[in-house]
Amino acid sequence: MNSLLTLTLTSLKKRLTDQPSIQIQQDLGYVTEVRFLFNAPASESELLKFEETNQLFLPKDYKEFLLMHNGARLFIDEKSGASFDVLSISEVQENHQSLDYPEGWYPIAYGLESSVLVMNLNEITPHKRSNEYLFWLEPGESIEHATPLYMNFEIFLERLIISQGVEYWNWPIYKARHFYKANDLED
């Protein structure tokens, strides 16, 4: 049986077979063409070295992604310059060191306006698989204020693709009365 990650990426790539971009609709009626770039796979030895160097275990689903694509640029919008960038394992290591994250916390992707998708690997062991290791960090926020997403990488990625690159994890925050006001719309 295929994993959710494999099913998600296979379906997305089928949509990109005949053309390098797809048209999407995002918030407030914004329609645009977006492209996707996938890096070559990481090697098992690269991932093992990362785990040994940092004395931790990568989550199974995230590791599966890296073995398929050692990083990616998703929803590249040439009009706005926006994209969602999943870091390669070497970029993860570099960003962890240069940004002084706490032990076990690693940035794995950048979204709009330098927001960061962060994983907390302190609970991951080879025998205990956590499915809720992702957090969202807004620019300027400290790690203590990161928003828990209560999901793993493959669920996050599937929902990101279904929502066409929109920050869907913020949707419950906007009640109807707040949505219209925040977007200068009449209710």
Side-chain angles (χ1 to χ4, degrees):
M1 181 167 203
N2 289 329
S3 68
L4 176 60
L5 184 70
T6 301
L7 294 170
T8 300
L9 290 174
T10 300
S11 294
L12 174 62
K13 289 175 186 177
K14 280 182 186 174
R15 295 171 58 201
L16 298 166
T17 302
D18 297 332
Q19 56 193 18
S21 63
I22 56 174
Q23 189 174 59
I24 61 168
Q25 179 175 338
Q26 294 186 325
D27 302 60
L28 305 174
Y30 180 70
V31 176
T32 190
E33 289 279 325
V34 294
R35 295 180 307 113
F36 298 80
L37 298 172
F38 297 95
N39 294 355
S43 67
E44 288 274 358
S45 62
E46 281 178 277
L47 300 183
L48 185 59
K49 180 181 176 190
F50 178 86
E51 289 177 321
E52 288 173 352
T53 300
N54 296 291
Q55 299 178 354
L56 53 78
F57 297 96
L58 292 170
K60 180 182 170 187
D61 61 319
Y62 178 63
K63 198 175 202 177
E64 179 185 356
F65 176 82
L66 293 171
L67 290 168
M68 294 169 72
H69 302 289
N70 189 12
R73 292 194 65 212
L74 311 173
F75 297 99
I76 304 165
D77 181 353
E78 301 294 340
K79 280 195 237 176
S80 70
S83 65
F84 188 87
D85 300 331
V86 181
L87 303 175
S88 69
I89 198 67
S90 63
E91 292 170 325
V92 168
Q93 184 69 40
E94 290 167 19
N95 278 269
H96 173 76
Q97 291 170 336
S98 67
L99 297 175
D100 196 33
Y101 282 89
E103 186 176 325
W105 290 78
Y106 289 83
I108 62 171
Y110 284 99
L112 299 175
E113 300 169 8
S114 301
S115 301
V116 186
L117 181 63
V118 183
M119 60 182 173
N120 176 0
L121 299 181
N122 291 315
E123 301 297 316
I124 309 292
T125 68
H127 305 296
K128 179 185 173 203
R129 184 175 124 180
S130 171
N131 287 323
E132 298 180 351
Y133 58 83
L134 291 180
F135 292 77
W136 190 253
L137 190 59
E138 293 293 339
E141 281 185 336
S142 64
I143 203 76
E144 296 82 30
H145 296 101
T147 304
L149 298 181
Y150 304 107
M151 66 184 84
N152 61 13
F153 185 75
E154 69 180 351
I155 293 171
F156 176 87
L157 186 63
E158 183 199 36
R159 291 178 180 174
L160 183 68
I161 291 169
I162 290 169
S163 68
Q164 302 189 86
V166 175
E167 294 180 357
Y168 63 86
W169 49 94
N170 288 326
W171 287 350
I173 295 169
Y174 294 107
K175 295 178 181 169
R177 66 181 176 270
H178 299 122
F179 176 83
Y180 291 103
K181 188 175 181 179
N183 291 294
D184 287 330
L185 298 171
E186 294 182 32
D187 65 53

